[in-house]
Amino acid sequence: MQNNWWKILACILLIYTLIVGLSTPIEPGLKSVSSLIISPENTSIHVEGYNTHFLDQKESQSVTLRNDSGQWVCAEISKVISNTELLVEIDYTPKVSQAMFRLFISNSLDGTMEYSDMNFKGAEVNAFIRANSACSNFTGYSKDTFAFPYVRNLYESIRNLFFHVPMWFAMIVIMLLSAIYGILYLAKGEIKRDIQSETAISVGLLLAFLGLATGSVWAKFTWSEHTAIWSLQGWWVDDPKLNGSAIATLIYCAYYVLKRSINDKISAARIAAVYNIFAFVMFFVLIMIYPRIQGGLHPGMENNPAFSSYDLNNNLRLVFYPAIIGFILLSIWIWQIRSRIAWLKYKREYED
Amino acid sequence: MRTKIFVLFTLIAFHCRAEGLKESIHHSGLIWIVVAVLMIVLIGIFAYLFRLEKKLKEIEKQ
């Protein structure tokens, strides 16, 4: 039991991930508006919400528009259709210094929700600031219940963060262990270390394929939302992190090809161990450094460290970090069993 | 000719069905994508464990 505490920890962490990761609600947010352009002829906007309570919270509800220069445009709710649908009537302002506005709807249960990129058409830009103080009919509420952030296009699938991303973290740890055991083999020459190194790559490849498959499904319905469901388009997106990890996966597949192609067991093990070290360096560059230089669809690109406060809020972190540790421990466990079986097989073959 | 028409109609029906499916996936807030991803992870790990057991059985037989 003493040596098994980390396996129990892995179980607890993964059960925690499943329960909290799947049962926590998503924050209410605004899903879509009927028009992004506001003109004198078009001041009535139909707003669709997600997880909102427009009808239940009718009394405390108010709406306004604000731009980055801190200017306000007043508006009122003309009709509440359902809990997720309402009509907003905007008091059209022809004179604002910046035409891009954000729509805010607030009530006491949902808090303040916003929708960006509302554009005033025909507005006289830089002419005159109409309202620089707050609209008197707007009250902003804040929400303090435990929920995951609302991200447009992601919705509930933000939970995939706990099942897709840990695959890659676990793969990095497993491949690092593989490289370390390869170095240990080169240093000491014990064949057991070589077997452990090889089986680690086997588990790492499982994680790589799972990461690619889960990422593909997630991308098809979020990044490639516009593609038809039956078409082959959209399963593989043009993203450096995806292509980099696919190349890294192929590099590790080539490890097996290389090892099996050499007849002499000892030299095969030695060459494979050296290849393994280079493969890990390439893997790290392809998955962590190259996408950051290149930019792309994944969060944390353009020289920013991934999982900054912008991409990952504290509520997500509370499940995300346990999920990473849980999946790392699970894959180490599988690796141990895998290498013990391989070692047993090796001993049987050479002792008999 | 009749088979061609049949295939065409099947494709159209499949297209409509698939687009309806896509709509319902989006309507339910993409929760089915989370289900699909979890299924992939679990099936992948279980398949690996079954393969592992097969290897163990081979050694036991020897």
Side-chain angles (χ1 to χ4, degrees), chain A residues 50 153-157 160 167 202-203 206 210 214 217 221 225 227 229-230 334 338 341 345 348, chain B residues 14-15 18-19 21-22 25-26 29-31 33-34 37-38 40-41 44-45 48 52 55-56 59 62:
Chain A
Y50 187 79
N153 295 336
L154 286 186
Y155 310 115
E156 303 285 336
S157 78
N160 280 354
M167 294 296 134
S202 162
V203 177
L206 164 77
L210 289 180
T214 53
V217 173
F221 290 91
E225 205 186 333
T227 57
I229 196 171
W230 45 268
I334 296 173
R338 176 80 178 79
I341 291 173
K345 196 182 173 191
R348 280 284 169 92
Chain B
F14 182 65
H15 175 89
E19 287 310 291
L21 179 68
K22 188 184 169 182
I25 287 171
H26 276 275
L30 296 178
I31 190 70
I33 304 310
V34 184
V37 162
L38 250 174
I40 290 170
V41 172
I45 290 172
Y48 192 87
L52 209 61
K55 277 193 204 307
L56 194 62
I59 301 167
Q62 278 175 12

Side-chain angles (χ1 to χ4, degrees), chain A residues 193-210:
Chain A
R193 299 281 170 262
D194 174 60
I195 287 169
Q196 281 167 321
S197 171
E198 187 186 319
T199 50
I201 288 181
S202 162
V203 177
L205 279 176
L206 164 77
L207 294 166
F209 287 122
L210 289 180

Side-chain angles (χ1 to χ4, degrees), chain A residues 54-126:
Chain A
F54 291 154
L55 207 57
D56 300 346
Q57 298 297 316
K58 219 173 162 181
E59 273 72 50
S60 64
Q61 205 152 250
S62 55
V63 57
T64 190
L65 288 110
R66 205 163 54 187
N67 67 9
D68 290 341
S69 315
Q71 298 168 336
W72 295 61
V73 166
C74 297
E76 59 182 38
I77 295 156
S78 54
K79 193 185 175 194
V80 181
I81 301 159
S82 68
N83 261 338
T84 55
E85 275 178 287
L86 55 73
L87 281 173
V88 172
E89 184 64 36
I90 293 160
D91 174 16
Y92 184 75
T93 331
K95 289 175 177 178
V96 283
S97 69
Q98 204 185 359
M100 285 299 246
F101 273 76
R102 277 182 289 171
L103 175 76
F104 290 91
I105 296 178
S106 183
N107 66 44
S108 58
L109 187 64
D110 298 334
T112 305
M113 301 160 282
E114 69 165 84
Y115 196 94
S116 48
D117 299 338
M118 302 289 287
N119 205 350
F120 275 87
K121 202 186 167 193
E124 246 178 77
V125 175
N126 285 329

Side-chain angles (χ1 to χ4, degrees), chain A residues 63-348:
Chain A
V63 57
T64 190
L65 288 110
R66 205 163 54 187
N67 67 9
D68 290 341
S69 315
Q71 298 168 336
W72 295 61
V73 166
C74 297
E76 59 182 38
I77 295 156
S78 54
K79 193 185 175 194
V80 181
I81 301 159
S82 68
N83 261 338
T84 55
E85 275 178 287
L86 55 73
L87 281 173
V88 172
E89 184 64 36
I90 293 160
D91 174 16
Y92 184 75
T93 331
K95 289 175 177 178
V96 283
S97 69
Q98 204 185 359
M100 285 299 246
F101 273 76
R102 277 182 289 171
L103 175 76
F104 290 91
I105 296 178
S106 183
N107 66 44
S108 58
L109 187 64
D110 298 334
T112 305
M113 301 160 282
E114 69 165 84
Y115 196 94
S116 48
D117 299 338
M118 302 289 287
N119 205 350
F120 275 87
K121 202 186 167 193
E124 246 178 77
V125 175
N126 285 329
F128 162 79
I129 300 166
R130 197 190 88 108
N132 47 15
S133 60
C135 291
S136 57
N137 66 345
F138 181 76
T139 328
Y141 291 95
S142 61
K143 189 180 158 64
D144 52 2
T145 52
F146 186 75
F148 292 143
Y150 167 83
V151 182
R152 228 194 295 160
N153 295 336
L154 286 186
Y155 310 115
E156 303 285 336
S157 78
I158 198 161
R159 301 172 205 277
N160 280 354
L161 184 77
F162 318 130
F163 308 112
H164 164 72
V165 187
M167 294 296 134
W168 299 108
F169 277 81
M171 186 188 172
I172 291 170
V173 171
I174 286 286
M175 292 312 191
L176 178 66
L177 283 168
S178 173
I180 289 169
Y181 276 83
I183 294 167
L184 281 178
Y185 170 71
L186 289 175
K188 297 253 177 73
E190 294 165 350
I191 202 76
K192 192 178 180 182
R193 299 281 170 262
D194 174 60
I195 287 169
Q196 281 167 321
S197 171
E198 187 186 319
T199 50
I201 288 181
S202 162
V203 177
L205 279 176
L206 164 77
L207 294 166
F209 287 122
L210 289 180
L212 285 174
T214 53
S216 178
V217 173
W218 197 7
K220 173 73 182 174
F221 290 91
T222 50
W223 290 334
S224 324
E225 205 186 333
H226 55 279
T227 57
I229 196 171
W230 45 268
S231 81
L232 288 175
Q233 267 181 348
W235 295 98
W236 196 276
V237 288
D238 189 16
D239 178 71
K241 205 157 198 156
L242 173 59
N243 292 331
S245 53
I247 296 167
T249 308
L250 292 177
I251 288 174
Y252 276 112
C253 288
Y255 171 91
Y256 281 97
V257 180
L258 178 72
K259 206 167 184 181
R260 301 278 181 276
S261 66
I262 303 166
N263 284 327
D264 179 26
K265 282 269 177 204
I266 301 297
S267 55
R270 273 195 197 144
I271 291 165
V274 174
Y275 179 84
N276 193 359
I277 297 160
F278 283 109
F280 182 74
V281 174
M282 272 313 287
F283 169 60
F284 198 80
V285 169
L286 282 169
I287 203 169
M288 301 300 280
I289 297 163
Y290 163 69
R292 222 169 266 181
I293 298 165
Q294 200 72 17
L297 297 161
H298 276 92
M301 292 296 131
E302 282 131 30
N303 306 324
N304 296 322
F307 316 118
S308 59
S309 58
Y310 179 76
D311 296 316
L312 198 61
N313 87 348
N314 284 331
N315 291 354
L316 286 174
R317 270 175 230 264
L318 277 177
V319 186
F320 182 56
Y321 293 150
I324 289 175
I325 299 165
F327 274 106
I328 287 173
L329 292 179
L330 178 69
S331 46
I332 290 175
W333 188 2
I334 296 173
W335 167 51
Q336 278 202 345
I337 296 170
R338 176 80 178 79
S339 55
R340 273 155 73 183
I341 291 173
W343 177 234
L344 209 62
K345 196 182 173 191
Y346 177 84
K347 277 205 294 193
R348 280 284 169 92

